[in-house]
Structures are given as structure tokens and as C-alpha cells.
Amino acid sequence: MIIWLNGTFGAGKTTTSKELAAIVPKARIFDSEQVGYMLRHVLESVPVKDFQDWRPWRALVVETATQILGYVGGVLVVPQSVLVERYWTELSAGFAAAGIPVRHFVLHADQDTLTRRIESDAVETGARQWRLDHLTAYESARPWLSRTAETVDTTNLPPDQVARSIASAVLP
């Protein structure tokens, strides 16, 4: 099974994924951004705004997840924003074709909270403006995200409570 944590920057995907991996049996985090980093040097001649725009990224995320689950089993927790509906459709169709069930959650917070969290992030300060610039794309994606995912409002919840909520939704 894959537990995909979607949403924009500042919603709590990374922190929640760590909490979730600690409480869901046989769970491990699969950071699909690493696939994008791997492709950067190979596809640098094909300029894109986001590595998700590279079709190979989407196919390799599906294939990598499939290989990992086939090798070790368990649950993959994927903390990754996907704000283009066509990309999500491609990913979910790939997982379905591989026979992998996916639980898709959108971690949501109000605009002020997201902005505050992004501006106060002391870990990746170089990405601050890029993250702030993507808040509009998230708002545009919310209609299709609400149709394809379960929304968890993280505005006033600490990550451990968000993780427990998700775990209770996916565990028998």
C-alpha cells in the first residue's frame, strides 16, 4: 500500500510522514523528489519548471515504488506535492496497473498558516520564495484534489495527531 501525502509546502507533509512511518507497521518513507534529483543531470537539456513535468519522473516514481514494495513489502509513505491533475492521474493509474492500493491524503492549512510556516522554516531557506510562489497553484488544484483525496486540515493540529488520524483511516 502507498499512503500519499499531498498538499502544498508548509502543510506538514514531511513531518507527518516521519510520524506516520513510526506508527504504521512496516512503513517506510519514499521521497519521490529523489527521483527528480537523479534525473536533473540526465535531462538538463530538457528545461522544465518542475521535475514532475518530465514524463520519466512520473513513470520512474511508479516503477521505483513498485520495485520497493515488491522487494520489502509493507507500506510506502510518500510526502509529495502533486498539483497537476494529469500527473496525479498518470501516477495513480500506474499504481493501479501494478496492483498497488493507494490512499491519497491532502494535508491542508489556511493561507496565513502556510505562509507563516514557510517563512519560519529554517531548514531550506533558499526555497522560501519558490514555495510561497506555489501557494497559488495549490489553491487552483484544490477542486480536483478534493475529488481524489481525503483532506486533513493541519491548521491547528500537530503532526503526531495528523499522523494518528491518517493511520486510523488506513489501518484495520
Side-chain angles (χ1 to χ4, degrees), residues 86-162:
R86 180 172 52 89
Y87 297 172
W88 177 253
T89 301
E90 222 176 292
L91 289 163
S92 56
F95 294 132
I100 301 170
V102 177
R103 290 294 297 271
H104 184 200
F105 294 89
V106 171
L107 304 189
H108 172 77
D110 64 53
Q111 192 84 4
D112 291 339
T113 300
L114 292 169
T115 301
R116 187 183 76 253
R117 289 176 183 173
I118 292 168
E119 289 179 344
S120 65
D121 183 352
V123 177
E124 293 189 50
T125 57
R128 183 171 289 140
Q129 191 57 53
W130 192 81
R131 291 174 174 181
L132 289 168
D133 292 344
H134 280 75
L135 292 178
T136 303
Y138 169 67
E139 284 302 317
S140 297
R142 285 192 62 208
W144 74 262
L145 286 169
S146 67
R147 290 190 313 273
T148 63
E150 300 168 60
T151 300
V152 179
D153 191 333
T154 67
T155 303
N156 296 309
L157 289 178
D160 65 317
Q161 284 184 338
V162 175

Side-chain angles (χ1 to χ4, degrees), residues 17-70:
S17 69
K18 292 173 187 171
E19 296 281 346
L20 198 54
I23 61 174
V24 172
K26 297 182 180 179
R28 62 187 73 228
I29 298 169
F30 170 43
D31 183 355
S32 60
E33 281 191 14
Q34 296 300 320
V35 175
Y37 299 145
M38 176 189 73
L39 290 172
R40 279 190 177 156
H41 76 280
V42 178
L43 297 177
E44 65 188 349
S45 65
V46 183
V48 293
K49 289 184 179 182
D50 187 314
F51 55 72
Q52 291 183 18
D53 296 335
W54 287 320
R55 188 173 25 90
W57 178 83
R58 300 184 299 278
L60 285 171
V61 165
V62 170
E63 184 61 28
T64 304
T66 301
Q67 290 295 322
I68 292 168
L69 289 172

